[in-house]
Amino acid sequence: MTGSRERRRVERRKRKRRSTERTATPESERATVEGTPTATPEESFPERMARRSEERNAAARAKLVPLDRGERPTAVTVAAVISVLLAVAITVQAVLAAAGVDAAGADTNAAPLFLFAVILWVMTYGLWRARYWAVLGFQTLLLLMLLASALGLVLVSTVLEALGTTALILGSGVLFYFLIRAMARIQMPRPPGAE
């Protein structure tokens, strides 16, 4: 039984080799995509996948348009507004904690809240100026929010909590997705004389 299985495997390899030899084209007739040759019979599966991935990346980069001077993508503006709201909320909470006001009966330390508020204000400034590091930081915050919301969805007890948590997950996910393209545009080199 193992002999017949091995024979079939060998026959299949021979057929594959013959079919690739018949369909192989001369080097001069092989089409190129932005200087990258198309598949060759000697090309392994990982090499072929890497080449296809690079071709898709090159096509996506060709579609991107660099930001004009003073331009800010819409997703970055939305992120800046959300960052301002978070920064104001954390700053108010830090001031109340420093004043000794108990929130929900819990004694809160004001120092970490002030530190987080300062980080949020710096990130808000960077988002407003469309800086790459600020968008990356906000995406990190969104990712943490997505993870916490997804884990929190397990613990919800009412339908309203489930709807609110799901809306938070969807909103954070959509904003995260649109910030990826905005980051690519921010990272693109500016045209000569733009600055």
Side-chain angles (χ1 to χ4, degrees), residues 42-75:
E42 304 86 33
E43 193 174 43
S44 68
F45 179 74
E47 291 169 338
R48 189 168 53 247
M49 294 308 293
R51 180 185 46 78
R52 287 180 183 171
S53 177
E54 186 53 41
E55 287 172 0
R56 284 193 301 265
N57 289 344
R61 280 191 294 267
K63 290 179 186 176
L64 287 176
V65 179
L67 294 175
D68 291 331
R69 185 181 180 115
E71 182 184 4
R72 184 177 44 256
T74 306

Side-chain angles (χ1 to χ4, degrees), residues 168-188:
L168 183 62
I169 290 171
L170 291 176
S172 300
V174 168
L175 185 57
F176 188 91
Y177 175 78
F178 283 113
L179 283 175
I180 292 171
R181 187 174 179 93
M183 283 176 59
R185 289 188 65 202
I186 290 170
Q187 197 176 18
M188 288 187 70

Side-chain angles (χ1 to χ4, degrees), residues 106-173:
D107 189 25
T108 309
N109 189 357
L113 290 173
F114 275 119
L115 179 64
F116 189 55
V118 168
I119 291 170
L120 279 173
W121 283 112
V122 170
M123 186 170 60
T124 300
Y125 173 77
L127 285 168
W128 196 254
R129 303 276 307 190
R131 298 291 184 248
Y132 184 83
W133 57 266
V135 177
L136 189 62
F138 191 78
Q139 278 192 311
T140 304
L141 188 64
L142 278 177
L143 184 62
L144 292 173
M145 202 176 334
L146 278 166
L147 290 173
S149 299
L151 292 174
L153 195 57
V154 175
L155 302 174
V156 296
S157 57
T158 66
V159 174
L160 187 61
E161 287 176 354
L163 290 175
T165 306
T166 304
L168 183 62
I169 290 171
L170 291 176
S172 300

Side-chain angles (χ1 to χ4, degrees), residues 73-83 138 175:
T74 306
V76 176
T77 305
V78 170
V81 169
I82 292 171
S83 184
F138 191 78
L175 185 57

